[in-house]
Amino acid sequence: SSDLFPSHDNPLEPYGMDIAKNPHVDWADIIVFPRILPVDPKINEQLLKCLKANNKIIVFEHDDYYFKLGRSNYNKNQISKDSLESTAGTINGCDMIISPNHILNDSSVEYVGGKKGQKFIKKEIFNAIAPNDWLSAKNKRKKHKTVKILITGAPNHLIDWIDISPALIKIKEKYGDKVSFDIVGFRKEYMNLTGKERTNNTNKTPEFLEDVVKLKDIFKQIGAKVHNFVDFQKYPEILNAISPDIGIIKTTDSIFDICKSTLKFIDYTMSGAAIVCSKNKPYTNELVDKVDVLFADSVDNFVDKISELVESPELRESLVNNAENKVFTYYTIGNTVDAWVSAFKEGYRDWE
């Protein structure tokens, strides 16, 4: 939280700050490193050093990003070796790892990092929202002249976006100015790339640039508005400002996507969007077709499902209402706190 670092514009860059002496941290016995970490190992090293000096138990929350899947399982090598090695170093510095993911029961999946004697707790824990934040966001939803269609994601989802782009083009051709598109996570500067740029960034491979340029042309063709990838505190504000009518969740039947959670379902529902979702795990494990979302398993199927929602405000409202009820039933902090406490106790009881 930025509350921890009021003197810093970026809360992830507190070089030299003794975090463990901060009043927000001092009372805690257990400190959780969340799944989203700064890649710079210097930051992580400083955090670990400060916390260990004050006898804190440090828990790392594992995520899809940190599985050893092999290059072919990532979306066109968007995740660099340097980034994975940096994360492994951070994980090795923690006392315990908690993996709140259904895929963890698969013994064939290996993980980045981990050392002998380190506690590894497998515990399926749903993502969660704070109900008050939810209600506040709901009150800010807007109505638009067009049917607004939303797609979000980080750069490692470029292939998903390319796969779904023929459906977006068909929807634009079919409905014209009746629909509009918002893309969150595609940097605005990408819209000026030609594909001839040179880069030393290991995350920006030639394949990456090729995909970006391809998407840039597609987004221009459908008149999409692109929004930079923002930090997770501002992300809900972006979605609320967009107030989408339809949200698209495109995944593949790969380990990388199967390892993910259903967080996008919560995000989109919170912003008021009815959802068309790939018929893949983990979404098929938790959601019901034609009740919570509409599932699609091909480009043509996506076109049909999106068309249903464009043409039926009543169907959109029904799906959103059902999705909201599911979130309030299963995905609130009050419903998940017991699972987290149980996971902490499972590892903590072995410490002397």
Side-chain angles (χ1 to χ4, degrees):
S1 169
S2 58
D3 293 342
L4 298 179
F5 315 112
S7 62
H8 290 262
D9 293 331
N10 184 350
L12 294 179
E13 295 181 356
Y15 286 106
M17 180 177 288
D18 193 345
I19 297 159
K21 291 181 180 179
N22 187 288
H24 291 275
V25 176
D26 188 51
W27 58 269
D29 295 309
I30 299 174
I31 304 293
V32 179
F33 268 40
R35 61 186 72 180
I36 301 299
L37 283 172
V39 171
D40 189 338
K42 294 180 182 178
I43 302 176
N44 299 344
E45 183 180 349
Q46 179 68 20
L47 287 166
L48 288 166
K49 183 178 179 181
C50 291
L51 295 169
K52 282 182 175 294
N54 288 266
N55 299 315
K56 305 297 182 183
I57 292 172
I58 307 172
V59 178
F60 184 86
E61 181 196 2
H62 229 286
D63 189 26
D64 49 40
Y65 189 87
Y66 309 118
F67 294 115
K68 286 184 180 178
L69 304 180
R71 294 300 189 195
S72 63
N73 286 294
Y74 289 123
N75 281 338
K76 268 255 181 102
N77 193 19
Q78 305 302 350
I79 299 175
S80 72
K81 182 179 178 182
D82 291 345
S83 178
L84 289 174
E85 289 177 351
S86 168
T87 302
T90 300
I91 294 173
N92 288 342
C94 296
D95 301 299
M96 180 170 72
I97 302 170
I98 293 180
S99 292
N101 197 297
H102 68 279
I103 198 67
L104 300 173
N105 292 323
D106 185 345
S107 59
S108 66
V109 177
E110 293 184 85
Y111 307 94
V112 173
K115 61 184 179 182
K116 188 175 181 179
Q118 193 175 39
K119 290 292 292 183
F120 195 103
I121 309 300
K122 296 182 179 183
K123 185 78 67 173
E124 186 169 1
I125 305 175
F126 288 136
N127 288 290
I129 55 98
N132 288 341
D133 292 343
W134 177 285
L135 295 173
S136 174
K138 184 174 181 178
N139 292 333
K140 295 178 183 177
R141 292 177 189 166
K142 305 170 185 175
K143 292 186 177 181
H144 309 281
K145 293 180 180 179
T146 64
V147 176
K148 300 198 78 172
I149 300 173
L150 171 71
I151 305 177
T152 68
N156 54 345
H157 287 282
L158 291 181
I159 296 302
D160 292 334
W161 290 356
I162 289 173
D163 287 347
I164 195 63
S165 61
L168 306 184
I169 293 170
K170 289 182 179 181
I171 289 294
K172 187 63 177 178
E173 290 173 346
K174 184 175 182 179
Y175 293 105
D177 292 339
K178 186 177 179 179
V179 298
S180 60
F181 298 89
D182 283 85
I183 314 294
V184 177
F186 193 84
R187 296 186 182 279
K188 292 181 180 179
E189 60 263 31
Y190 290 169
M191 298 300 284
N192 299 317
L193 293 178
T194 64
K196 298 179 180 180
E197 291 79 6
R198 291 172 176 252
T199 176
N200 293 322
N201 188 325
T202 55
N203 279 330
K204 303 296 185 292
T205 62
E207 292 86 357
F208 177 88
L209 291 175
E210 179 184 337
D211 293 341
V212 165
V213 171
K214 187 182 299 183
L215 280 169
K216 173 206 71 173
D217 293 338
I218 292 168
F219 292 158
K220 285 185 175 181
Q221 181 180 349
I222 64 176
K225 183 176 181 179
V226 299
H227 307 264
N228 287 337
F229 192 78
V230 297
D231 67 49
F232 291 93
Q233 289 177 315
K234 294 181 180 178
Y235 183 63
E237 297 176 19
I238 291 287
L239 297 193
N240 291 337
I242 295 171
S243 292
D245 299 293
I246 299 170
I248 296 176
I249 302 175
K250 173 65 179 70
T251 65
T252 58
D253 188 20
S254 65
I255 296 177
F256 179 75
D257 278 338
I258 291 172
C259 284
K260 289 193 165 293
S261 70
T262 55
L263 182 59
K264 269 201 177 85
F265 165 72
I266 300 174
D267 291 337
Y268 286 7
T269 300
M270 190 171 182
S271 67
I275 298 168
V276 182
C277 177
S278 291
K279 193 175 181 180
N280 292 320
K281 295 177 181 179
Y283 293 94
T284 52
N285 289 344
E286 299 178 26
L287 307 178
V288 179
D289 189 25
K290 300 178 183 178
V291 177
D292 307 312
V293 298
L294 298 183
F295 282 126
D297 55 11
S298 67
V299 167
D300 289 341
N301 207 204
F302 264 98
V303 172
D304 292 341
K305 302 297 183 180
I306 295 170
S307 297
E308 285 184 50
L309 293 180
V310 170
E311 295 172 11
S312 177
E314 296 79 15
L315 178 57
R316 296 201 301 267
E317 183 178 7
S318 174
L319 288 175
V320 171
N321 288 339
N322 292 337
E324 285 181 347
N325 288 335
K326 173 153 281 187
V327 170
F328 273 113
T329 302
Y330 298 106
Y331 300 96
T332 63
I333 290 173
N335 290 333
T336 59
V337 68
D338 287 344
W340 277 109
V341 170
S342 173
F344 292 145
K345 285 183 177 180
E346 191 173 330
Y348 188 66
R349 68 188 176 198
D350 292 333
W351 267 277
E352 297 179 356

